[in-house]
Amino acid sequence: MHTYPCLLEPYDFGFLTLRNRMVMGAMHTRIETLDQPLARQVQFFRERARGEVGLILTGGYAPNLAGRMEEDAPVLERLEQLAPHLAVTRAVHEEGGRIVLQILHAGRYAKHPLCVGPTELRAPINRHTPRALTPEGIAQTVQAIAHTARLAQEAGYDGVEIMGSEGYLLNEFTSPCTNLRSDTYGGSFENRIRFPIETVAAVRAAVGARFLLIYRISAIDLVQDGLTGAETAQLAQRLQQAGVDMLNTGVGWHESAIPTIAASVPRAAWEFAVHNIKRAVSIPVIASNRISTPEVGERLLAGGAADFVSMARPLLADPEFAAKTRKGRADLINSCIACNQACLDHIFTERAASCLVNPRAGRELDYPTGRAAAPRRIAVAGGGAAGMAFAVYAAERGHEVALYEAGPDLGGLLNLARRIPGKNEFNETLRYFRARLAELGVTVALGRRVTAADLRAGGYDAVVVATGVTPRLPDIDGIDHPKVALYDEVLSGRRRVGARVALIGAGGIAFDTAEFLLGDTEESLSPEQFRQHWGIDASLRNPGGVKDIPPRAPRRVIHMLQRSPEKPGARLGKSTGWILKTRLKRAGVQMISGATYHRIDDAGLTYSCHGVTEVLPVDDVIVCAGQMVQDELSRSLAGSGMRVETIGGARRAVELDAARAIEEALRLAHAF
């Protein structure tokens, strides 16, 4: 019997029944920008409905051209635009699912010249200055949103969600930090909430009573001069009175300097803000952000913090999340690790979203399920991300797979990554791969460094080399000094490090190593410590839910140096790099670009920069200067008669890139 009674309980609105309390939250995917956009969207949503999630929310559709997030963002404002929507809703309903269209007006976040807002106050994350909406413009926008809701009803959707969170247009009007108006839509609280209340009333009038109306409310703004918790609760009550059936909770504005969904945020960290809304209303409330396992979702519902849980990226990672929950097989859920690398980072660089742990997401047409025409015997050398992923994907296609790992455990460099504060979610990836390999019957040999002779004698049809990388040692006088350590020695715990440290290199590995050395491990696990570190007011009495951050002394003095003149961390992920840089800056990490290394000796590290030579009197010098491929096995197998393929770090060692490694594994498995 399952152990998630709250998650799996149906909910009856009287006119609509949802089969469970799990919601796939709205996501920008940009799938519509790929070839075959409609077929891709249909298959994407179909598979998630087939995976038994109770309710699906689409990505945001603008009600007019001004409301688009970007120039090519989707809009729904005309009858002739309904055909693709009808195909999507039909597919979801055929699989027993329910689907709601999100209506999103980007307001001053819109990245085009038509953007509008409460005033001409430009968003700090946008180069475009908005045009202030007139009262007539507000009325036209209200009607445009209501018209889009009516079109969604015509398209077969089960409801709409009005986006009133994350700093978008309606949220901009509710908050005094952006609403500086002096007319009937600004000033007092009543005036500032007038626009969203009028919008809800107009939508309800347009669609009638038997159509699900969700409002996404900002549970906590996380910006100076945002709403207080009391004001948020009052807004929730007024939205219920205006005709909303359900409230979904958003957390933080996009311009906020506080992380909300990255892996460094503890699971269910925003429960206190959601519960504030739940206590204020009698309609269902959806909790969101960093809910990645059934256990967390069940706890939130059982504790009364919410009635539903929204999981957006977890449904990218595993479309069968809900079905596996129902079957009591949470061990087989491919959990979202909140890395943002292939989802948000892709969106912010104008690429279609996918998922690090599930690169098939959004590419379902490219990698159809099913077995290979000719099953083969395949050996995989290396049990890191690339090797494990290939073994799983190949076994799913019916191939007989044997996986050899030289170390005592599967995981390769993921075993280092999971030790870094904020990256403990990699434990879930390792759990998933271990469980899936066992379920598929893959032969796993640990502690065995397989040789070319072993493979020749094994009678395999093919060998996949996924033996990873080795750290690169730069040519510096004294590189063999006892002060010198490699990053893998430090992250594995094999090397103890002193109080004064120099890092050679300023890429992703160096930033992770610095995080490890600062040792704030508990922050990503403890909501209380997370709130303290980032200045979050759990009482919600302060406007925006923010407060001053108390200073604290770092554990170590750290210097980070790189030869390149570019800014350290320039190549970090767009959606998470700022978090790392902020944390290291607060810890006093010194970052030096354009360094020339002279020597390492008992005095420390001698370097020069801009013509000035200095000595850093450090206890340890940690090398984070890249890595080299380990592909000796590929060369040894040349001429063996077997098909030999190399993937992951063994093929290309530019950066430690699990997303690329797993995607290569998927692509290669489908080529067999």
Side-chain angles (χ1 to χ4, degrees), residues 25-73:
M27 290 175 281
H28 303 298
T29 65
R30 292 182 62 87
I31 294 175
E32 70 277 0
T33 65
L34 300 173
D35 65 300
Q36 299 179 273
L38 177 55
R40 289 184 185 278
Q41 290 181 81
V42 166
Q43 191 62 23
F44 176 80
F45 287 115
R46 180 184 292 280
E47 291 198 12
R48 280 140 186 91
R50 186 182 297 154
E52 301 182 12
V53 68
L55 180 66
I56 292 172
L57 305 180
T58 71
Y61 281 79
N64 54 30
L65 293 180
R68 293 167 298 162
M69 188 67 191
E70 301 162 324
E71 294 278 6
D72 60 350

Short mmCIF file of all heavy atoms in Angstrom, two decimals, residues 25-73:
data_model
loop_
_atom_site.label_atom_id
_atom_site.label_comp_id
_atom_site.label_asym_id
_atom_site.label_seq_id
_atom_site.Cartn_x
_atom_site.Cartn_y
_atom_site.Cartn_z
N GLY A 25 3.80 22.64 -12.31
CA GLY A 25 3.80 24.08 -12.37
C GLY A 25 4.16 24.61 -13.75
O GLY A 25 4.75 23.90 -14.58
N ALA A 26 3.81 25.85 -13.99
CA ALA A 26 4.08 26.49 -15.28
C ALA A 26 5.58 26.69 -15.47
O ALA A 26 6.29 27.05 -14.54
CB ALA A 26 3.35 27.83 -15.37
N MET A 27 6.03 26.45 -16.70
CA MET A 27 7.44 26.64 -17.04
C MET A 27 7.55 27.27 -18.42
O MET A 27 6.81 26.92 -19.33
CB MET A 27 8.18 25.30 -17.08
CG MET A 27 8.38 24.62 -15.76
SD MET A 27 9.14 22.99 -15.98
CE MET A 27 7.69 22.03 -16.47
N HIS A 28 8.52 28.16 -18.56
CA HIS A 28 8.91 28.60 -19.90
C HIS A 28 9.82 27.49 -20.45
O HIS A 28 10.84 27.18 -19.85
CB HIS A 28 9.69 29.92 -19.84
CG HIS A 28 8.95 31.04 -19.18
ND1 HIS A 28 7.77 31.52 -19.67
CD2 HIS A 28 9.23 31.77 -18.08
CE1 HIS A 28 7.35 32.50 -18.90
NE2 HIS A 28 8.21 32.67 -17.92
N THR A 29 9.48 26.91 -21.58
CA THR A 29 10.31 25.86 -22.16
C THR A 29 10.91 26.23 -23.51
O THR A 29 11.90 25.66 -23.91
CB THR A 29 9.50 24.56 -22.35
OG1 THR A 29 8.46 24.78 -23.31
CG2 THR A 29 8.91 24.08 -21.03
N ARG A 30 10.30 27.15 -24.21
CA ARG A 30 10.72 27.53 -25.56
C ARG A 30 10.68 26.34 -26.53
O ARG A 30 11.32 26.36 -27.58
CB ARG A 30 12.12 28.15 -25.55
CG ARG A 30 12.17 29.52 -24.85
CD ARG A 30 13.56 30.13 -24.90
NE ARG A 30 14.00 30.39 -26.25
CZ ARG A 30 13.73 31.50 -26.92
NH1 ARG A 30 13.01 32.45 -26.36
NH2 ARG A 30 14.18 31.66 -28.15
N ILE A 31 9.93 25.31 -26.19
CA ILE A 31 9.77 24.18 -27.12
C ILE A 31 9.16 24.67 -28.43
O ILE A 31 9.45 24.14 -29.51
CB ILE A 31 8.90 23.07 -26.50
CG1 ILE A 31 9.61 22.44 -25.30
CG2 ILE A 31 8.57 21.99 -27.52
CD1 ILE A 31 8.77 21.42 -24.55
N GLU A 32 8.35 25.71 -28.32
CA GLU A 32 7.68 26.24 -29.52
C GLU A 32 8.66 26.84 -30.52
O GLU A 32 8.29 27.11 -31.66
CB GLU A 32 6.63 27.28 -29.11
CG GLU A 32 7.18 28.59 -28.59
CD GLU A 32 7.53 28.57 -27.11
OE1 GLU A 32 7.36 27.50 -26.48
OE2 GLU A 32 7.98 29.61 -26.59
N THR A 33 9.92 27.04 -30.11
CA THR A 33 10.92 27.60 -31.03
C THR A 33 11.69 26.51 -31.80
O THR A 33 12.48 26.84 -32.68
CB THR A 33 11.93 28.47 -30.27
OG1 THR A 33 12.69 27.65 -29.37
CG2 THR A 33 11.22 29.56 -29.48
N LEU A 34 11.46 25.24 -31.46
CA LEU A 34 12.14 24.14 -32.14
C LEU A 34 11.38 23.75 -33.40
O LEU A 34 10.25 24.20 -33.63
CB LEU A 34 12.26 22.93 -31.21
CG LEU A 34 13.04 23.14 -29.91
CD1 LEU A 34 12.93 21.90 -29.03
CD2 LEU A 34 14.50 23.46 -30.20
N ASP A 35 11.98 22.89 -34.21
CA ASP A 35 11.25 22.34 -35.35
C ASP A 35 10.12 21.46 -34.84
O ASP A 35 10.18 20.94 -33.73
CB ASP A 35 12.20 21.54 -36.25
CG ASP A 35 12.73 20.30 -35.57
OD1 ASP A 35 13.40 20.45 -34.52
OD2 ASP A 35 12.49 19.19 -36.05
N GLN A 36 9.08 21.28 -35.65
CA GLN A 36 7.89 20.51 -35.25
C GLN A 36 7.35 20.97 -33.89
O GLN A 36 7.13 20.16 -32.98
CB GLN A 36 8.19 19.02 -35.19
CG GLN A 36 8.63 18.41 -36.53
CD GLN A 36 8.94 16.94 -36.38
OE1 GLN A 36 10.05 16.54 -36.04
NE2 GLN A 36 7.94 16.12 -36.61
N PRO A 37 7.15 22.25 -33.68
CA PRO A 37 6.80 22.75 -32.35
C PRO A 37 5.51 22.16 -31.78
O PRO A 37 5.46 21.82 -30.60
CB PRO A 37 6.68 24.26 -32.55
CG PRO A 37 6.44 24.44 -34.02
CD PRO A 37 7.19 23.32 -34.68
N LEU A 38 4.47 22.02 -32.62
CA LEU A 38 3.22 21.51 -32.09
C LEU A 38 3.34 20.05 -31.68
O LEU A 38 2.91 19.65 -30.59
CB LEU A 38 2.10 21.67 -33.13
CG LEU A 38 0.73 21.11 -32.70
CD1 LEU A 38 0.28 21.71 -31.37
CD2 LEU A 38 -0.31 21.36 -33.78
N ALA A 39 3.93 19.24 -32.56
CA ALA A 39 4.09 17.82 -32.24
C ALA A 39 4.92 17.65 -30.97
O ALA A 39 4.63 16.77 -30.14
CB ALA A 39 4.75 17.09 -33.41
N ARG A 40 5.93 18.48 -30.81
CA ARG A 40 6.77 18.39 -29.61
C ARG A 40 5.97 18.77 -28.35
O ARG A 40 6.08 18.10 -27.31
CB ARG A 40 7.98 19.31 -29.74
CG ARG A 40 9.01 18.83 -30.76
CD ARG A 40 10.23 19.73 -30.77
NE ARG A 40 11.15 19.34 -31.82
CZ ARG A 40 12.04 18.35 -31.72
NH1 ARG A 40 12.11 17.66 -30.59
NH2 ARG A 40 12.84 18.05 -32.72
N GLN A 41 5.19 19.83 -28.42
CA GLN A 41 4.42 20.24 -27.26
C GLN A 41 3.36 19.19 -26.91
O GLN A 41 3.15 18.89 -25.73
CB GLN A 41 3.76 21.59 -27.53
CG GLN A 41 4.76 22.73 -27.58
CD GLN A 41 4.08 24.06 -27.83
OE1 GLN A 41 3.53 24.68 -26.92
NE2 GLN A 41 4.08 24.51 -29.07
N VAL A 42 2.72 18.65 -27.91
CA VAL A 42 1.70 17.62 -27.67
C VAL A 42 2.32 16.42 -26.95
O VAL A 42 1.78 15.93 -25.95
CB VAL A 42 1.04 17.18 -29.00
CG1 VAL A 42 0.24 15.89 -28.80
CG2 VAL A 42 0.13 18.29 -29.52
N GLN A 43 3.46 15.95 -27.45
CA GLN A 43 4.09 14.79 -26.83
C GLN A 43 4.62 15.11 -25.44
O GLN A 43 4.52 14.28 -24.52
CB GLN A 43 5.24 14.27 -27.71
CG GLN A 43 5.79 12.92 -27.28
CD GLN A 43 4.75 11.81 -27.37
OE1 GLN A 43 3.77 11.91 -28.10
NE2 GLN A 43 4.96 10.75 -26.60
N PHE A 44 5.15 16.30 -25.26
CA PHE A 44 5.65 16.73 -23.95
C PHE A 44 4.54 16.69 -22.91
O PHE A 44 4.69 16.10 -21.83
CB PHE A 44 6.23 18.14 -24.07
CG PHE A 44 6.69 18.74 -22.77
CD1 PHE A 44 7.93 18.41 -22.24
CD2 PHE A 44 5.90 19.66 -22.09
CE1 PHE A 44 8.37 18.96 -21.05
CE2 PHE A 44 6.33 20.22 -20.90
CZ PHE A 44 7.56 19.88 -20.37
N PHE A 45 3.42 17.31 -23.22
CA PHE A 45 2.31 17.33 -22.26
C PHE A 45 1.64 15.97 -22.14
O PHE A 45 1.20 15.58 -21.05
CB PHE A 45 1.29 18.40 -22.66
CG PHE A 45 1.75 19.81 -22.40
CD1 PHE A 45 1.96 20.71 -23.44
CD2 PHE A 45 1.99 20.25 -21.09
CE1 PHE A 45 2.39 22.00 -23.20
CE2 PHE A 45 2.42 21.55 -20.84
CZ PHE A 45 2.62 22.42 -21.90
N ARG A 46 1.54 15.23 -23.24
CA ARG A 46 0.91 13.91 -23.20
C ARG A 46 1.65 13.00 -22.21
O ARG A 46 1.01 12.31 -21.39
CB ARG A 46 0.90 13.27 -24.58
CG ARG A 46 0.26 11.87 -24.60
CD ARG A 46 0.36 11.21 -25.95
NE ARG A 46 -0.47 11.87 -26.95
CZ ARG A 46 -1.78 11.67 -27.08
NH1 ARG A 46 -2.42 10.88 -26.23
NH2 ARG A 46 -2.45 12.29 -28.03
N GLU A 47 2.96 12.98 -22.27
CA GLU A 47 3.72 12.07 -21.41
C GLU A 47 3.57 12.44 -19.94
O GLU A 47 3.56 11.56 -19.08
CB GLU A 47 5.19 12.04 -21.82
CG GLU A 47 5.39 11.36 -23.17
CD GLU A 47 6.82 10.93 -23.42
OE1 GLU A 47 7.63 10.93 -22.46
OE2 GLU A 47 7.13 10.59 -24.58
N ARG A 48 3.43 13.72 -19.64
CA ARG A 48 3.28 14.11 -18.25
C ARG A 48 1.86 13.84 -17.75
O ARG A 48 1.68 13.48 -16.58
CB ARG A 48 3.69 15.58 -18.09
CG ARG A 48 5.21 15.66 -18.03
CD ARG A 48 5.87 16.77 -18.75
NE ARG A 48 7.32 16.58 -18.68
CZ ARG A 48 8.04 15.90 -19.60
NH1 ARG A 48 7.45 15.36 -20.67
NH2 ARG A 48 9.34 15.73 -19.46
N ALA A 49 0.86 13.95 -18.63
CA ALA A 49 -0.49 13.53 -18.25
C ALA A 49 -0.55 12.02 -18.06
O ALA A 49 -1.18 11.53 -17.12
CB ALA A 49 -1.49 13.98 -19.32
N ARG A 50 0.12 11.29 -18.94
CA ARG A 50 0.18 9.83 -18.82
C ARG A 50 0.88 9.42 -17.52
O ARG A 50 0.58 8.39 -16.93
CB ARG A 50 0.92 9.24 -20.01
CG ARG A 50 0.92 7.71 -20.08
CD ARG A 50 1.71 7.26 -21.28
NE ARG A 50 1.10 7.72 -22.52
CZ ARG A 50 1.76 7.93 -23.65
NH1 ARG A 50 3.08 7.73 -23.70
NH2 ARG A 50 1.12 8.33 -24.73
N GLY A 51 1.78 10.28 -17.07
CA GLY A 51 2.49 10.02 -15.81
C GLY A 51 1.65 10.30 -14.58
O GLY A 51 2.15 10.20 -13.46
N GLU A 52 0.37 10.68 -14.77
CA GLU A 52 -0.65 10.75 -13.72
C GLU A 52 -0.60 11.99 -12.84
O GLU A 52 -1.23 12.04 -11.78
CB GLU A 52 -0.64 9.49 -12.84
CG GLU A 52 -0.89 8.21 -13.61
CD GLU A 52 -0.94 6.98 -12.71
OE1 GLU A 52 -1.01 7.13 -11.47
OE2 GLU A 52 -0.89 5.85 -13.25
N VAL A 53 0.13 13.04 -13.23
CA VAL A 53 0.07 14.27 -12.45
C VAL A 53 -1.36 14.80 -12.45
O VAL A 53 -2.07 14.70 -13.46
CB VAL A 53 1.07 15.31 -12.99
CG1 VAL A 53 0.66 15.84 -14.36
CG2 VAL A 53 1.25 16.44 -12.00
N GLY A 54 -1.81 15.34 -11.32
CA GLY A 54 -3.21 15.73 -11.18
C GLY A 54 -3.62 16.90 -12.05
O GLY A 54 -4.73 16.92 -12.60
N LEU A 55 -2.76 17.89 -12.18
CA LEU A 55 -3.08 19.08 -12.94
C LEU A 55 -1.81 19.60 -13.60
O LEU A 55 -0.75 19.63 -12.98
CB LEU A 55 -3.67 20.17 -12.03
CG LEU A 55 -4.06 21.50 -12.69
CD1 LEU A 55 -5.21 21.29 -13.67
CD2 LEU A 55 -4.44 22.54 -11.63
N ILE A 56 -1.94 20.02 -14.85
CA ILE A 56 -0.82 20.60 -15.60
C ILE A 56 -1.11 22.08 -15.84
O ILE A 56 -2.21 22.44 -16.27
CB ILE A 56 -0.64 19.88 -16.95
CG1 ILE A 56 -0.16 18.44 -16.73
CG2 ILE A 56 0.35 20.63 -17.83
CD1 ILE A 56 -0.15 17.61 -18.00
N LEU A 57 -0.13 22.91 -15.56
CA LEU A 57 -0.20 24.33 -15.91
C LEU A 57 0.75 24.58 -17.07
O LEU A 57 1.91 24.18 -17.03
CB LEU A 57 0.20 25.21 -14.73
CG LEU A 57 -0.54 24.99 -13.40
CD1 LEU A 57 0.00 25.94 -12.35
CD2 LEU A 57 -2.03 25.20 -13.58
N THR A 58 0.26 25.22 -18.10
CA THR A 58 1.12 25.52 -19.24
C THR A 58 2.08 26.65 -18.89
O THR A 58 1.92 27.33 -17.87
CB THR A 58 0.31 25.97 -20.47
OG1 THR A 58 -0.23 27.29 -20.20
CG2 THR A 58 -0.80 25.01 -20.79
N GLY A 59 3.06 26.86 -19.74
CA GLY A 59 3.86 28.08 -19.64
C GLY A 59 2.98 29.28 -19.92
O GLY A 59 1.86 29.16 -20.42
N GLY A 60 3.48 30.47 -19.62
CA GLY A 60 2.66 31.66 -19.73
C GLY A 60 2.38 32.09 -21.16
O GLY A 60 3.27 32.12 -22.00
N TYR A 61 1.12 32.43 -21.42
CA TYR A 61 0.70 33.02 -22.70
C TYR A 61 0.28 34.45 -22.44
O TYR A 61 -0.52 34.73 -21.54
CB TYR A 61 -0.46 32.23 -23.30
CG TYR A 61 -0.01 30.96 -23.99
CD1 TYR A 61 0.28 29.82 -23.23
CD2 TYR A 61 0.16 30.90 -25.36
CE1 TYR A 61 0.72 28.66 -23.83
CE2 TYR A 61 0.60 29.73 -25.98
CZ TYR A 61 0.88 28.63 -25.21
OH TYR A 61 1.33 27.47 -25.82
N ALA A 62 0.82 35.36 -23.22
CA ALA A 62 0.50 36.77 -23.06
C ALA A 62 -0.89 37.06 -23.62
O ALA A 62 -1.31 36.47 -24.62
CB ALA A 62 1.53 37.64 -23.77
N PRO A 63 -1.62 38.01 -23.01
CA PRO A 63 -2.95 38.36 -23.52
C PRO A 63 -2.89 39.39 -24.65
O PRO A 63 -3.90 39.61 -25.31
CB PRO A 63 -3.63 38.96 -22.29
CG PRO A 63 -2.51 39.58 -21.51
CD PRO A 63 -1.33 38.68 -21.73
N ASN A 64 -1.73 39.99 -24.84
CA ASN A 64 -1.56 40.95 -25.93
C ASN A 64 -0.07 41.10 -26.20
O ASN A 64 0.77 40.54 -25.50
CB ASN A 64 -2.22 42.31 -25.60
CG ASN A 64 -1.73 42.88 -24.28
OD1 ASN A 64 -0.61 42.64 -23.84
ND2 ASN A 64 -2.59 43.66 -23.63
N LEU A 65 0.26 41.88 -27.21
CA LEU A 65 1.67 42.00 -27.61
C LEU A 65 2.52 42.66 -26.53
O LEU A 65 3.68 42.31 -26.33
CB LEU A 65 1.78 42.78 -28.93
CG LEU A 65 1.21 42.09 -30.17
CD1 LEU A 65 1.38 42.97 -31.40
CD2 LEU A 65 1.87 40.73 -30.40
N ALA A 66 1.97 43.64 -25.83
CA ALA A 66 2.73 44.31 -24.78
C ALA A 66 3.10 43.36 -23.65
O ALA A 66 4.13 43.53 -23.00
CB ALA A 66 1.94 45.49 -24.23
N GLY A 67 2.28 42.35 -23.44
CA GLY A 67 2.48 41.43 -22.32
C GLY A 67 3.48 40.33 -22.56
O GLY A 67 3.81 39.57 -21.63
N ARG A 68 4.00 40.21 -23.78
CA ARG A 68 4.97 39.14 -24.07
C ARG A 68 6.24 39.31 -23.23
O ARG A 68 6.72 40.42 -23.04
CB ARG A 68 5.36 39.16 -25.54
CG ARG A 68 4.26 38.81 -26.52
CD ARG A 68 4.70 39.18 -27.93
NE ARG A 68 4.94 40.62 -28.04
CZ ARG A 68 5.64 41.20 -29.01
NH1 ARG A 68 6.18 40.47 -29.96
NH2 ARG A 68 5.81 42.52 -29.02
N MET A 69 6.80 38.20 -22.81
CA MET A 69 8.07 38.26 -22.09
C MET A 69 9.20 38.61 -23.05
O MET A 69 10.11 39.37 -22.70
CB MET A 69 8.35 36.91 -21.43
CG MET A 69 9.55 36.92 -20.51
SD MET A 69 9.28 37.95 -19.05
CE MET A 69 10.93 38.02 -18.37
N GLU A 70 9.16 38.06 -24.25
CA GLU A 70 10.15 38.32 -25.28
C GLU A 70 9.42 38.53 -26.60
O GLU A 70 8.22 38.26 -26.71
CB GLU A 70 11.11 37.13 -25.40
CG GLU A 70 11.86 36.81 -24.10
CD GLU A 70 12.45 35.41 -24.12
OE1 GLU A 70 11.79 34.50 -24.68
OE2 GLU A 70 13.54 35.22 -23.57
N GLU A 71 10.16 38.94 -27.61
CA GLU A 71 9.56 39.20 -28.93
C GLU A 71 8.86 37.96 -29.48
O GLU A 71 7.81 38.06 -30.12
CB GLU A 71 10.64 39.65 -29.92
CG GLU A 71 11.25 41.01 -29.59
CD GLU A 71 10.41 42.18 -30.07
OE1 GLU A 71 9.29 41.96 -30.56
OE2 GLU A 71 10.90 43.33 -29.95
N ASP A 72 9.46 36.76 -29.24
CA ASP A 72 8.88 35.54 -29.82
C ASP A 72 8.09 34.72 -28.81
O ASP A 72 7.80 33.55 -29.03
CB ASP A 72 9.99 34.67 -30.44
CG ASP A 72 11.04 34.24 -29.42
OD1 ASP A 72 11.03 34.76 -28.29
OD2 ASP A 72 11.88 33.39 -29.77
N ALA A 73 7.75 35.32 -27.68
CA ALA A 73 6.97 34.61 -26.66
C ALA A 73 5.54 34.37 -27.15
O ALA A 73 5.00 35.15 -27.94
CB ALA A 73 6.95 35.41 -25.36
#
